[in-house]
Amino acid sequence: MASSSHTDAGALPVARPRYIPNLAHLRFAPTVAGLCLLLIVLMAIFAPLIAPHDPIAMLPAQRLKPPSDTFLLGTDAYGRDLLSRLIYGARISLIVGLGVMVIAIAVGLPLGLLSGYFRTLDAILMRIMDGLMAIPSVLLAIAVVSLSGSSLLTVMIAITIPEVPRVVRLVRSVVLSARNEPYVEAAIAMGTRLPALLARHLMPNTYAPLIVQGTYICASAILTEAILSFLGAGIGTETPSWGNMISEGRMYFQLKPSLIFWPGVLLSICILSVNLIGDAARDLLDPRLKKRTGA
Amino acid sequence: MLAYTLRRILAAIPVMGVVALFVFLLLRLTPGDPAAIIAGDTATPAQLEAIRTSLGLDKPIPVQFATWIGQLAQGDLGTSLISKTPVTTLIGQRLGPTLSLALITMVLSILIAVPMGVLAAWKHGTLIDSLVMALCVLGFSVPVFVIGYLLIQVFAIQLRWFPVQGFSSIVNGLGPFSQRATLPAFTLASIYVALIARMTRASLLDVLGEDYIRTARAKGVAERKVLFRHALRNCAVPILTVIGTGFALLISGVVVTESVFNIPGLGRLIVDAVLARDYPVIQGLILLTSGIYVLINLLVDLSYSLLDPRIRY
């Protein structure tokens, strides 16, 4: 601490607050991230209007063409327009990111509330969650998809399963620390019924950390979907997704790197933006959380 | 300490039990006939019957589970539906590349990440700190395969320093091995480095605020010594913990990295198994990796009191 106050805190040896926003000079980071994400969302919503070509129309005569006036970024191995596929690919990433976030919280929040409140249930539920967390998430998702087929819904469920324990643990820890607060004890003493106690007195404590955790889940889901598609265990290849495009582009990588480059760039920007927004939300909503997650 | 060790080992058993039960039920609770799902659309009734018998699907579910657990206890992970080889044999054939890659990545990550985290904490609030943190966010956000192809493009295709793909076992000499393992290791290290560097920085910042650090400085201990001898040593526990929990990330990364670099390891084994719907192999690999994860975290837990004498059980 002293070293940093020597260098930039001026004459007074006042210890600077330990957890000032770490990207202090990069305050613009969340703003830029928000703008990027907004662009991607708009791109996904208005894909049919923006995309110059049909993303799944194959033109065998136009295979692997370099960028031209007709095909701004060129075409892939099936003669499909790369730009149009990139634009449509945003849809899958966003749907999966948001969908997994919503399902994981919808399942994890009630389980976490109950687990934090009932000791016996807690013991059982936490063992189950420990078990689920021990399975590497990509492997778990691969197993689910390989068994249930590769529809958008199964991919989302497959990605959600490993995320649920993280939500449950987070909610549980918040409930455990809140249930000894005097206001909760007062509510219990007043005879508040359990559903009201959980929903009105305990649940609101979880909102801030859940918003933060939710953005991280969203980013991780987008990443996992891309990994699944890349490995050939994602949604069917007829739907353009950034992961699918990279997977198909692998064969022609040395011939035409842009087939992998562009979806990779968009994927990275998208995940990065969501992560940065999560960091900003964390700094804003819960400075203590920052300490625990170690950033 | 002995009692604690025993308690921790006992606590690992239900975790593995849940993993086993989950893997077991996944196949049985999937809507539809699991044999038909595994066999695909073109299977004949005879093939379906063969799959049912080989997986024991023709018996009641509790019996199936008991038989399966019994086999597991004897180290039998079942037989591949495609190659008809025992899963343990398949894993044995592919273990080498994955193990060497994972170990190198771990060492590499720690060597890069810990100094990075120390530097960021030491120069807290400066541009260096922001830069390290930005690199960490990048490491979390850029997918492993994007990093892999980027490294291939720059270092293998343009600079021609390394071969594009492939793998050479360490038994065939250190030269070819390091030639081919460098890019995969750096690829795989990206996310691990981000994880460890972030934790190092955060816990070091925590420790640097402690009273004994102020005392050390007050009695004139050199800054370098304060940082490494007094502060960093006390961060060993959180750093080791994140290395343990990060192992799950490493496994996911291995699967992807091996596909990018065409390395014949466990990751490729599972990808091939997925494409061929070879469920016994998928099942075996999940059990194996989860088991290693539980074991690593058990060892991490047990090492706490060695690293930090203040922790006593």
Side-chain angles (χ1 to χ4, degrees), chain A residues 222-263:
Chain A
I222 295 174
L223 186 62
T224 312
E225 185 277 323
I227 289 177
L228 290 180
S229 294
F230 174 76
L231 296 175
I235 50 163
T237 43
E238 65 282 352
T239 318
S241 90
W242 294 333
N244 272 341
M245 295 173 67
I246 295 177
S247 176
E248 288 173 350
R250 285 163 71 185
M251 311 255 264
Y252 310 93
F253 171 60
Q254 301 205 33
L255 201 66
K256 194 174 178 192
S258 66
L259 286 181
I260 286 186
F261 178 77
W262 287 115

Side-chain angles (χ1 to χ4, degrees), chain A residues 208-222:
Chain A
L210 270 184
I211 290 174
V212 177
Q213 184 72 13
T215 53
Y216 293 144
I217 289 177
C218 179
S220 137
I222 295 174

Side-chain angles (χ1 to χ4, degrees), chain B residues 199-200 202-204 207 232-245 300 304 307-308:
Chain B
M199 185 49 87
T200 307
S203 40
L204 200 58
V207 172
L232 191 57
R233 272 187 66 168
N234 285 295
C235 299
V237 166
I239 295 174
L240 201 69
T241 307
V242 82
I243 291 174
T245 50
V300 165
Y304 284 170
L307 287 167
D308 192 339

Side-chain angles (χ1 to χ4, degrees), chain B residues 40-114:
Chain B
D41 301 333
T42 54
T44 63
Q47 281 173 317
L48 287 184
E49 203 49 51
I51 289 177
R52 273 191 206 110
T53 328
S54 83
L55 290 175
L57 290 172
D58 43 357
K59 301 190 186 71
I61 286 199
V63 177
Q64 286 180 32
F65 189 64
T67 331
W68 185 62
I69 290 288
Q71 288 170 342
L72 279 185
Q74 297 169 29
D76 177 6
L77 288 176
T79 309
S80 159
L81 294 176
I82 309 298
S83 62
K84 310 285 181 221
T85 324
V87 175
T88 40
T89 315
L90 286 175
I91 289 178
Q93 290 166 355
R94 303 290 195 96
L95 196 60
T98 303
L99 209 59
S100 48
L101 184 61
L103 281 177
I104 290 182
T105 304
M106 270 200 173
V107 175
L108 190 71
S109 306
I110 296 169
L111 288 181
I112 299 174
V114 173

Side-chain angles (χ1 to χ4, degrees), chain A residues 1-4 18-19 22 25 131 134-135 138-139 142 146-147 227 246 250 253 268 272 275 291 294-295, chain B residues 19 27 37 122 124-125 137 141 145 149 198 201-202 205-206 217 252 256 259 270 274 277 279 282 289-290 293:
Chain A
M1 224 29 48
S3 66
S4 61
R18 225 182 302 166
Y19 295 101
N22 54 62
H25 337 3
I135 306 177
V138 170
L139 295 199
I142 284 179
S146 71
L147 282 177
I227 289 177
I246 295 177
R250 285 163 71 185
F253 171 60
S268 308
L272 186 63
N275 270 332
K291 190 168 169 178
Chain B
V19 173
L27 179 65
I37 293 171
W122 186 33
H124 178 55
V137 184
S141 304
F145 47 82
Y149 282 114
R198 236 160 94 146
R201 173 183 176 275
L205 281 180
D206 238 6
R217 281 182 175 143
S252 302
V256 177
S259 279
I270 196 165
V274 166
R277 292 172 174 265
Y279 194 70
I282 302 177
T289 49
S290 310
Y293 175 84

